[in-house]
Amino acid sequence: MTSIQEFMTQHHKQCDDLLVDAEGAIAANDWTEFALGWNAFEKETLHHFELEEQVLFPEFEAQTGMVGGPTNVMRQEHSQIRAMFEQMQQAIAEQNQERAIGVIESTMLFIQQHNMKEEQILYPMSDNRLNNGEELVARMKSQS
């Protein structure tokens, strides 16, 4: 049995690894590799947000009654990260290395803080409070 925390934390790590790969390409000023790497990171991170926003968060809210709590904060942070992704797409289009590195640093820091909240608060709460955690993990795996 895989817990929500185990599954989602592992997915965080997969996204983090993609970001590290992209960071190496921008350091080498290889825009082709960087764009490919960043786009892979962005796509997988947005997929992660979809799993949370379409599967986990609605179930958490339905079973706990907490609709203005941690899931609301996570959605707001997802929105902020999406804005960073838009900034990066502009940096890529302009091939502005300084801007790209700045966006990477901001994104990395923000996502680390965001993931920590999920991994230390939301996912453990989900595992403890939801009566269908295994089914939710199976649903999320089927969408991966």
Side-chain angles (χ1 to χ4, degrees):
M1 172 182 110
T2 302
S3 69
I4 292 167
Q5 183 166 10
E6 290 168 330
F7 176 73
M8 296 305 277
T9 298
Q10 180 59 37
H11 200 230
H12 280 167
K13 182 172 177 359
Q14 292 169 352
C15 293
D16 292 345
D17 290 346
L18 291 170
L19 180 55
V20 169
D21 291 345
E23 186 180 28
I26 194 65
N29 203 24
D30 184 339
W31 284 97
T32 302
E33 279 302 308
F34 175 68
L36 290 170
W38 179 269
N39 289 335
F41 160 71
E42 184 176 319
K43 180 181 177 187
E44 196 61 34
T45 300
L46 291 173
H47 175 65
H48 183 85
F49 292 170
E50 289 173 8
L51 293 176
E52 291 176 334
E53 293 171 359
Q54 295 173 11
V55 179
L56 181 60
F57 294 175
E59 193 67 28
F60 181 88
E61 292 164 349
Q63 288 193 41
T64 66
M66 289 189 253
V67 292
T71 53
N72 190 45
V73 172
M74 295 302 102
R75 282 188 184 97
Q76 290 172 0
E77 291 184 4
H78 289 175
S79 180
Q80 291 174 289
I81 294 166
R82 286 181 177 104
M84 291 177 189
F85 289 172
E86 290 175 17
Q87 292 171 12
M88 181 58 82
Q89 291 306 322
Q90 185 164 354
I92 290 170
E94 297 169 356
Q95 293 195 357
N96 184 330
Q97 186 180 28
E98 185 176 324
R99 185 172 185 192
I101 290 171
V103 174
I104 286 173
E105 290 172 357
S106 298
T107 302
M108 223 178 227
L109 180 62
F110 195 88
I111 284 180
Q112 286 173 349
Q113 293 170 350
H114 173 82
N115 290 354
M116 189 180 312
K117 291 175 206 170
E118 289 182 334
E119 291 170 13
Q120 294 180 0
I121 299 168
L122 183 62
Y123 300 156
M125 283 178 70
S126 297
D127 281 325
N128 289 330
R129 305 275 308 265
L130 303 183
N131 59 19
N132 61 339
E134 286 183 52
E135 185 263 327
L136 290 176
V137 170
R139 280 177 46 204
M140 290 187 285
K141 281 182 179 180
S142 74
Q143 295 179 26
S144 292

